Amino acid sequence: MKSPFEGSSPLPTSHNALVDFSYARFKAGLERGDYEPYVWPYRSFGIYVLLAYMLLPPTENKLVRYAKYPVFAFFTYWGVRTILETKSASAPLTYGIGLVDAWAIIWCSSFVIFRDLRDVRRVERKLVPKAPTGADDDDVPPSEAVTTTASTLGKEPATGETRARLIHTSDTPQTSLSNGKNDLFPPPKRPPPAYDYYWQSLPTPFLTRLEFIADLLFSMRGPGWSHQARCIPSPPPHISSQLSPPPPKAHPAPPSPSAPSTRSLLLTNLLHFILNYILLDLLKTYTTHDHYFLGRGSLVTSPFSAPYMTPPTSTPPLPSFVPSIIAHAPTLTKWLRLVITVLYVRTALSTVFTLSPLFFANPYLPFPFSASRLIGLRSEPWFYPPFESSPSPIWNHGLAGWWGTWWHQLFRVGFETPGLWLCSTLSLPPKSPRGRTLMVLTAFGLSALLHAAGSRTMLPPIPGATTRPFGGPGVFFGLQALGVITESVVTSWLKRQSCWEHTVPLGVKKVGTFAWVAGWMYWTAPLFVDDFTRGGIWLFEPVPWSAMAVLGLREEGDARGWRWKGRNVFLWRGDVWWRSGVAV
């Protein structure tokens, strides 16, 4: 029987109607058995098996060590199966199914296959016993209670761990928004406690090991770990200078090696969250009116990309409120939509990152909302490096600066680890021309697979439209590798030319580098952006409450302030009991 959502049924022309239409299509697909929802805990079984292996006590037993290969093979099989079989009604959730499962495979391989888990270390701390002074400890306010993590509570550092007795000074009083009792984040009334800092390897006690593994898997950029990404600052000098071996150095080096105070960290992230929230509301309002972001049309104009596109390829007009100088110029129209996409993605990611310190590094939240009292060292402000970075690497270093510094570095450690392993296996120095080429190809190859998996699980809202996992993001990231390698070869050649080094002004070089990056992205980015749009990613609602909607700037007749609906999470009954659970 033909679905009422395919064929000649009229398509919705407004954003809200298309969201409802897409949800109805999702439900119809479930009834036909075209796919399944992501059901927890059934679809998470693979990670449970891998976690059980990772939580085994440190051992030299060869049988246990070689068991990682069949265990990881099963974990990979389960993740790939989930990517091929499941979808969600929510645009970000259905994209996240593929992205997260693929990332879990890449990320966990870094510590199970390409590294020895016993060699991974993190910075930990231990409270220094206070000398008796006769002071009454009952005077200490609750917000200043001494905290330690589960891994240090009541335990001495293991033999061989490097320790450094230091005074934790990140919360020393600094200028705040106001003075006195009305201070948003008041300074502490008593000096902060003193701690020992040391490297901690995979611990033996089970609860400590559980917390160690959880911290490892959720610290994607790795602050405070021996493998931390080079793009984030090292621990503050009063910590890193006492650790042996020293932690990885940031590249490029941060302008100031000192860590912010807790109050400045919270105020900065609170301000960024408010500004990002407003910007997300504005961006969502714009994409509601621009039909390109509703899954219609294409930005691709290059003959190279034509075979990978899905009709229709005509570009819908811009909203009527856009200035005519932009609306009547195809090049400016394309630029506007590309810039909107980049700004939308960066703002959404930045908003999520601002929430982390506001909850996990905030001692001013009342119990049980304050996690800072439970996670100890992970509540120190240096543990939350800024997400945003200056765009200067783009015009200073070109595509390498775009992807290696300016764009978010969430996946950097996971992408670099297999490349480093290959270089070591092939006896290639990572910084040699061949080593760098291998690292670039590995990183962008994994990125292509990662985003292709997200494309695979998307459910296009327009009947007949399909995403192109390898023809869209796959080709896009392959071209980025080509661009970075080409750029490196040309840059090396130019640096050997005396006329380029000594005659061409630095400003001209920067303008030329920026123009090269802009032109490359103008030509290649639509491959990825179009796939995002066809998959319906922009139908998601990024903010729970919209001031723009209340002001009547969203769709006509839609003045609902509260935007989120609870229909994307529901109970699912499978054919057997273990396939039942909470579905998205």
Side-chain angles (χ1 to χ4, degrees):
M1 180 177 177
K2 194 173 184 179
S3 169
F5 301 102
E6 308 290 344
S8 59
S9 299
L11 292 179
T13 57
S14 67
H15 172 275
N16 291 346
L18 187 59
V19 170
D20 294 336
F21 180 81
S22 180
Y23 181 78
R25 287 191 66 214
F26 168 74
K27 287 293 188 178
L30 290 181
E31 294 176 359
R32 294 193 305 269
D34 295 345
Y35 41 76
E36 298 179 7
Y38 186 96
V39 178
W40 182 86
Y42 170 67
R43 288 293 176 179
S44 302
F45 181 67
I47 191 63
Y48 300 150
V49 173
L50 185 65
L51 280 176
Y53 174 80
M54 296 178 73
L55 286 171
L56 292 175
T59 179
E60 296 291 339
N61 187 291
K62 289 187 177 181
L63 180 62
V64 173
R65 294 187 64 185
Y66 285 106
K68 66 182 181 181
Y69 296 108
V71 169
F72 190 78
F74 174 79
F75 170 67
T76 303
Y77 156 77
W78 197 265
V80 172
R81 181 181 165 188
T82 299
I83 292 171
L84 296 176
E85 295 178 350
T86 59
K87 294 186 184 297
S88 171
S90 167
L93 288 179
T94 195
Y95 185 77
I97 290 172
L99 190 79
V100 171
D101 273 273
W103 172 245
I105 295 171
I106 296 171
W107 184 233
C108 292
S109 71
S110 299
F111 308 107
V112 177
I113 302 298
F114 301 113
R115 277 195 184 98
D116 190 334
L117 193 58
R118 298 170 301 173
D119 295 335
V120 177
R121 303 182 308 276
R122 68 172 180 175
V123 178
E124 192 50 277
R125 75 184 187 185
K126 176 183 179 295
L127 185 65
V128 175
K130 187 190 302 183
T133 60
D136 187 358
D137 290 340
D138 292 338
D139 294 336
V140 180
S143 63
E144 314 232 356
V146 175
T147 60
T148 59
T149 62
S151 58
T152 59
L153 189 60
K155 295 182 176 63
E156 292 290 338
T159 304
E161 291 173 330
T162 303
R163 299 193 302 168
R165 180 163 297 183
L166 301 161
I167 302 299
H168 179 55
T169 58
S170 63
D171 291 327
T172 53
Q174 294 185 3
T175 304
S176 58
L177 290 183
S178 59
N179 297 316
K181 297 182 179 180
N182 295 325
D183 197 342
L184 182 60
F185 299 117
K189 297 179 181 179
R190 299 187 62 178
Y195 293 103
D196 280 342
Y197 290 86
Y198 59 92
W199 282 121
Q200 181 189 53
S201 299
L202 184 65
T204 301
F206 175 75
L207 290 180
T208 309
R209 192 164 65 254
L210 176 63
E211 189 262 343
F212 183 95
I213 295 297
D215 187 15
L216 173 68
L217 296 180
F218 285 102
S219 297
M220 292 171 61
R221 293 190 294 174
W225 287 85
S226 57
H227 57 268
Q228 78 167 43
R230 292 175 298 161
C231 59
I232 62 176
S234 300
H238 71 278
I239 298 177
S240 59
S241 62
Q242 302 297 323
L243 298 174
S244 180
K249 293 184 179 180
H251 179 76
S256 173
S258 61
S261 69
T262 296
R263 289 182 298 137
S264 65
L265 175 75
L266 296 177
L267 289 171
T268 299
N269 281 274
L270 180 60
L271 177 61
H272 285 176
F273 174 78
I274 294 173
L275 295 177
N276 286 340
Y277 191 98
I278 296 172
L279 182 55
L280 280 177
D281 198 4
L282 290 170
L283 289 169
K284 179 59 183 180
T285 300
Y286 173 83
T287 57
T288 298
H289 295 282
D290 190 338
H291 282 206
Y292 168 75
F293 292 96
L294 302 185
R296 294 174 169 85
S298 169
L299 297 182
V300 174
T301 56
S302 169
F304 171 83
S305 308
Y308 300 101
M309 307 315 299
T310 299
T313 57
S314 59
T315 303
L318 291 173
S320 58
F321 55 79
V322 176
S324 59
I325 191 175
I326 298 177
H328 294 160
T331 300
L332 295 180
T333 296
K334 181 176 177 179
W335 268 121
L336 175 64
R337 285 165 170 163
L338 290 176
V339 170
I340 290 290
T341 300
V342 171
L343 188 60
Y344 211 146
V345 173
R346 277 186 64 87
T347 305
L349 291 173
S350 178
T351 304
V352 173
F353 267 78
T354 59
L355 290 174
S356 185
L358 291 176
F359 282 96
F360 295 112
N362 191 347
Y364 304 99
L365 290 176
F367 182 83
F369 303 104
S370 176
S372 66
R373 294 173 173 82
L374 304 176
I375 61 176
L377 174 68
R378 274 71 208 163
S379 67
E380 293 190 12
W382 65 268
F383 200 75
Y384 298 90
F387 174 80
E388 298 291 345
S389 60
S390 167
S392 60
I394 299 175
W395 51 78
N396 287 331
H397 304 289
L399 284 175
W402 174 294
W403 292 115
T405 304
W406 181 72
W407 196 246
H408 77 80
Q409 303 296 297
L410 294 179
F411 306 133
R412 179 163 185 157
V413 176
F415 289 165
E416 282 187 344
T417 302
L420 291 171
W421 180 85
L422 285 173
C423 286
S424 175
T425 302
L426 299 175
S427 300
L428 291 174
K431 293 186 178 181
S432 67
R434 291 184 179 181
R436 288 182 176 178
T437 300
L438 181 59
M439 294 279 289
V440 168
L441 292 174
T442 303
F444 281 106
L446 292 173
S447 186
L449 291 175
L450 176 69
H451 293 88
S455 174
R456 172 63 179 79
T457 54
M458 284 198 290
L459 183 63
I462 305 297
T466 58
T467 57
R468 302 289 183 177
F470 294 103
V475 172
F476 170 74
F477 284 104
L479 289 174
Q480 302 316 300
L482 175 63
V484 170
I485 294 172
T486 303
E487 176 184 85
S488 177
V489 172
V490 173
T491 301
S492 298
W493 179 80
L494 287 174
K495 287 182 177 179
R496 295 194 298 267
Q497 311 304 312
S498 59
C499 61
W500 174 264
E501 282 294 296
H502 304 293
T503 305
V504 180
L506 181 61
V508 174
K509 294 178 183 178
K510 291 183 177 182
V511 171
T513 302
F514 183 82
W516 143 251
V517 174
W520 184 259
M521 288 298 176
Y522 181 84
W523 179 58
T524 62
L527 287 166
F528 190 25
V529 174
D530 278 357
D531 198 73
F532 247 29
T533 303
R534 282 197 304 274
I537 196 71
W538 307 120
L539 296 182
F540 89 105
E541 182 60 66
V543 295
W545 186 87
S546 170
M548 298 294 106
V550 172
L551 294 174
L553 299 178
R554 290 282 185 97
E555 291 187 24
E556 185 177 354
D558 180 13
R560 295 176 297 112
W562 186 259
R563 310 302 301 178
W564 286 359
K565 300 179 181 179
R567 63 187 181 183
N568 293 325
V569 180
F570 53 94
L571 295 178
W572 177 261
R573 176 173 292 182
D575 52 353
V576 288
W577 65 268
W578 60 80
R579 296 173 69 97
S580 303
V582 179
V584 295

